[in-house]
Amino acid sequence: MPSAGGMALTKNELIGIMLRLAIFGVCSYYGIKWVVDQMDPTRKQKIQAQKQAQKLMSRIGVKGVKLSEYEMSIAALLIDPLGISVAWRDIGGLKDIIEEIQETVILPMKKRHLFRSSSLLQPPK
């Protein structure tokens, strides 16, 4: 079946052309992606932040969570609570503030049963 230009493509030739175009498209995509990644001035910092965040997340027991690039940069700034070596006795001159923190933050976490909502705090039925 001749075409308008006088040249007909067989089915195999058409498949070959389409396959070459697909391969060229994939190679172009990954080539451009690689060039853009190499041109990124913050690439090393992002990789380091990602490694640090993954190490911290595995240390605190968070596994199997996929984070975005932005979330990963924030996670890299988190501090492992088990790695903090400061005790209440190390904080000098703030006795009133320490007592307030212990009463308002720590006590409700340790003694949850004392701070459960009662029927007095609920709206009437």
Side-chain angles (χ1 to χ4, degrees):
M1 132 172 104
S3 63
M7 189 173 131
L9 293 176
T10 65
K11 183 177 179 182
N12 288 339
E13 291 173 332
L14 186 60
I15 291 173
I17 290 172
M18 292 180 71
L19 185 61
R20 279 183 255 146
L21 284 173
I23 291 171
F24 176 75
V26 169
C27 290
S28 297
Y29 170 78
Y30 284 109
I32 291 171
K33 186 175 184 316
W34 181 81
V35 169
V36 169
D37 284 345
Q38 295 304 312
M39 292 174 47
D40 184 7
T42 62
R43 182 170 138 340
K44 289 181 182 177
Q45 290 89 354
K46 288 178 186 176
I47 292 170
Q48 184 180 10
Q50 183 177 14
K51 287 179 183 177
Q52 185 177 351
Q54 287 175 344
K55 188 167 80 172
L56 176 63
M57 288 174 46
S58 67
R59 203 175 328 147
I60 62 175
V62 178
K63 294 182 182 180
V65 176
K66 202 75 164 145
L67 300 178
S68 70
E69 185 177 309
Y70 177 71
E71 293 168 332
M72 194 64 74
S73 65
I74 291 174
L77 300 175
L78 296 176
I79 297 172
D80 181 8
L82 301 175
I84 298 174
S85 61
V86 177
W88 290 112
R89 64 181 172 351
D90 296 333
I91 304 171
L94 301 174
K95 184 178 179 184
D96 296 337
I97 294 174
I98 291 171
E99 288 176 1
E100 183 179 345
I101 290 172
Q102 288 178 335
E103 290 173 0
T104 59
V105 178
I106 296 174
L107 183 64
M109 292 173 78
K110 286 185 174 179
K111 310 258 184 191
R112 291 183 184 156
H113 63 281
L114 296 176
F115 295 92
R116 285 188 187 150
S117 60
S118 67
S119 59
L120 295 175
L121 300 175
Q122 296 176 355
K125 293 181 182 181

